[in-house]
């Protein structure tokens, strides 16, 4: 594997042989003029062109960026399969501090990134993720027609976080149905860690359904946006304080991945974990740890699929009502996974994987 200069890329060579999930293609993109360094990972195209967002993040190393891209791309394959989409899984990460790229500098970097995606000829379709926004996708689309998550003014569907939050809410309703026999959050105490693009929409759904909500976020402005609209809402000092809160029914991790790990699971007070963050399980053993503590886990890539449902629809002429109806089916999909987990005697995450893997395997044989 090489970058655009023709020199071997040690990070890709090392991780290509690691336990990351058998990806079809991994590309390191570099444009010295704009400062672009990006990784595009395509996990599977068995169901169709790989679809997944672009994360813009100041990774500590190139290896960390590649590892994140690989994990996220694999997750997108499973997410798209269970969402019933005709897409495989892919993901891209841009290495750098998004706040350091403003104005013309950001535009030039995004245009270079658009050219990199376009060079793959449609094998990968990009969209927004952490650190990128609708306006960014409008810029990327100037160089690449395989771009979704654009603004309505530019033929797109706009902010996909709206339906992502709606889908997570449906996953919570299914969790409530499975555990308490009623698909409502009324009277339930829900802790939301991360109230940014997705989390603040989720809070609105929860409050409208009668839930008691507690929030936390590392960004003060994100918390303030919620508390100014809902002055009485409870705020935890940090995520550790949130997950230790007595009487918490549901924990919703809505920030970065790895929220469920060897440190957090033993102190969780919630009976359900259902949130928008990707890759919530820090390692495969965590799902058993949750099951051993009788904590019901709604698999992240199942419940947070509303956004990818939206951006996929954009490729065929966006219709919000049609997308919302598809996202509402996350309720039924989540219940089906819980039922499969019970019948097979396995945790829900393993049940979800089995269903997704079967769909991808069936498509590969056709």
């Amino acid at each position: 594997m090489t970058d655009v200069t023709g020199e071997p890329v040690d990070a890709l060579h090392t991780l290509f042989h690691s336990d990351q999930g058998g990806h079809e293609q991994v590309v390191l993109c570099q444009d010295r003029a704009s400062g672009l360094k990006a990784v595009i990972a395509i996990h599977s195209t068995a169901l169709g062109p790989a679809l997944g967002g672009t994360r813009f993040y100041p990774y500590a190393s190139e290896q960390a960026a590649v590892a994140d891209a690989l994990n996220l791309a694999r997750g997108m394959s499973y997410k798209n399969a269970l969402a019933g989409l005709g897409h495989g899984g892919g993901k891209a990460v841009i290495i750098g501090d998004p706040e350091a790229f403003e104005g013309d500098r950001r535009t030039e970097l995004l245009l270079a990134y658009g050219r990199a995606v376009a060079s793959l000829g449609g094998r990968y379709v990009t969209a927004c993720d952490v650190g990128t926004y609708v306006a960014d996708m409008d810029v990327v689309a100037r160089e690449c027609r395989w771009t979704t998550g654009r603004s309505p003014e530019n033929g797109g569907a706009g902010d996909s976080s709206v339906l992502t939050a709606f889908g997570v809410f449906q996953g919570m309703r299914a969790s409530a149905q499975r555990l308490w026999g009623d698909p409502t959050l009324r009277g339930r105490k829900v802790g939301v860690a991360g109230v940014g693009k997705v989390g603040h929409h989720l809070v609105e759904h929860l409050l409208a359904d009668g839930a008691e909500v507690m929030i936390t976020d590392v960004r003060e402005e994100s918390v303030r946006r919620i508390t100014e609209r809902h002055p009485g809402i409870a705020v935890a000092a940090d995520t550790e304080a949130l997950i230790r809160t007595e009487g918490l029914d549901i924990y919703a991790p809505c920030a970065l991945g790895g929220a469920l790990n060897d440190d957090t699971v033993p102190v969780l007070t919630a009976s359900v974990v259902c949130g928008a963050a990707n890759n919530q399980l820090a390692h495969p053993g965590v799902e058993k740890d949750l099951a051993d503590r009788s904590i019901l886990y709604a698999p992240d890539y199942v419940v947070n699929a509303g956004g990818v449902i939206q951006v996929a629809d954009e490729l065929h002429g966006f219709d919000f009502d049609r997308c919302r109806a598809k996202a509402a089916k996350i309720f039924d999909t989540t219940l089906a996974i819980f039922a499969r987990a019970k019948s097979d005697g396995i945790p829900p995450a393993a049940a979800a994987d089995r269903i997704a893997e079967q769909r991808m395997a069936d498509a590969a044989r056709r």
Side-chain angles (χ1 to χ4, degrees):
M1 296 182 185
T2 61
D3 66 9
V4 292
T5 66
E7 299 170 356
V9 180
D10 291 338
L12 294 184
H13 177 75
T14 300
L15 287 170
F16 185 70
H17 299 286
S18 70
D19 185 22
Q20 293 284 340
H23 294 65
E24 292 182 10
Q25 186 176 8
V26 184
V27 180
L28 180 64
C29 314
Q30 182 171 291
D31 180 74
R32 292 193 174 98
S34 66
L36 173 73
K37 287 194 75 174
V39 181
I40 301 173
I42 297 174
H43 176 259
S44 171
T45 56
L47 291 167
L51 172 62
T54 299
R55 179 165 294 189
F56 199 164
Y57 190 75
Y59 292 95
S61 67
E62 187 177 272
Q63 273 197 319
V66 174
D68 201 29
L70 293 173
N71 285 330
L72 292 166
R74 182 176 183 273
M76 289 306 304
S77 286
Y78 285 67
K79 179 186 294 190
N80 293 340
L82 277 175
L85 301 176
H87 286 281
K91 205 79 172 186
V93 300
I94 297 174
I95 304 170
D97 182 357
E99 295 184 1
F101 286 83
E102 298 179 348
D104 291 344
R105 189 181 182 207
R106 190 180 184 95
T107 298
E108 290 307 313
L109 178 138
L110 292 170
L111 289 173
Y113 171 67
R115 291 191 291 272
V117 175
S119 72
L120 295 174
R123 280 177 54 78
Y124 168 62
V125 181
T126 196
C128 301
D129 196 76
V130 174
T132 58
Y133 302 88
V134 170
D136 294 328
M137 293 305 107
D138 285 345
V139 176
V140 173
R142 287 157 56 182
E143 293 284 357
C144 177
R145 65 188 180 93
W146 295 287
T147 305
T148 61
R150 293 164 291 146
S151 67
E153 295 79 12
N154 286 281
D159 185 6
S160 63
S161 64
V162 174
L163 286 183
T164 302
F166 178 68
V168 174
F169 177 61
Q170 297 307 315
M172 281 192 188
R173 291 181 63 246
S175 300
Q177 174 70 52
R178 172 69 181 84
L179 202 60
W180 300 303
D182 193 348
T184 179
L185 285 307
R186 180 169 298 279
R188 300 296 174 186
K189 191 170 186 176
V190 183
V192 182
V195 286
K197 286 198 291 186
V198 175
H200 84 277
H201 290 299
L202 178 60
V203 168
E204 297 296 335
H205 286 299
L206 293 169
L207 292 173
D209 199 35
E212 178 186 350
V213 180
M214 176 178 280
I215 64 170
T216 191
D217 198 294
V218 295
R219 293 179 177 271
E220 204 172 297
E221 60 269 28
S222 296
V223 172
R224 188 166 54 248
R225 174 171 55 177
I226 300 290
T227 56
E228 286 178 352
R229 182 174 174 84
H230 304 285
I233 203 165
V235 180
D238 52 32
T239 300
E240 183 175 354
L242 179 69
I243 64 175
R244 291 175 178 268
T245 300
E246 290 299 324
L248 198 67
D249 292 301
I250 301 175
Y251 169 49
C254 295
L256 297 178
L260 302 172
N261 54 52
D262 295 334
D263 295 323
T264 58
V265 171
V267 298
L268 267 175
T269 60
S271 302
V272 173
V273 176
C274 179
N278 288 308
N279 298 325
Q280 292 171 25
L281 303 177
H283 60 79
V286 175
E287 59 189 290
K288 184 178 184 302
D289 294 338
L290 289 165
D292 288 346
R293 292 203 59 219
S294 298
I295 297 172
L296 181 64
Y297 173 61
D300 49 30
Y301 70 81
V302 177
V303 302
N304 67 13
V308 76
I309 289 171
Q310 176 172 318
V311 296
D313 193 76
E314 184 179 314
L315 296 170
H316 311 288
F318 177 65
D319 182 287
F320 182 82
D321 291 337
R322 178 174 62 206
C323 284
R324 195 176 191 279
K326 289 180 181 177
K329 293 179 181 178
I330 289 172
F331 176 85
D332 296 321
T333 302
T334 307
L335 281 179
I337 287 165
F338 291 152
R340 175 70 177 268
K342 183 178 180 180
S343 67
D344 289 3
I346 55 177
D353 286 353
R354 286 185 183 181
I355 295 170
E357 286 163 1
Q358 186 62 56
R359 183 166 189 237
M360 286 186 278
D362 289 346
R365 284 194 291 268
R366 289 199 290 268

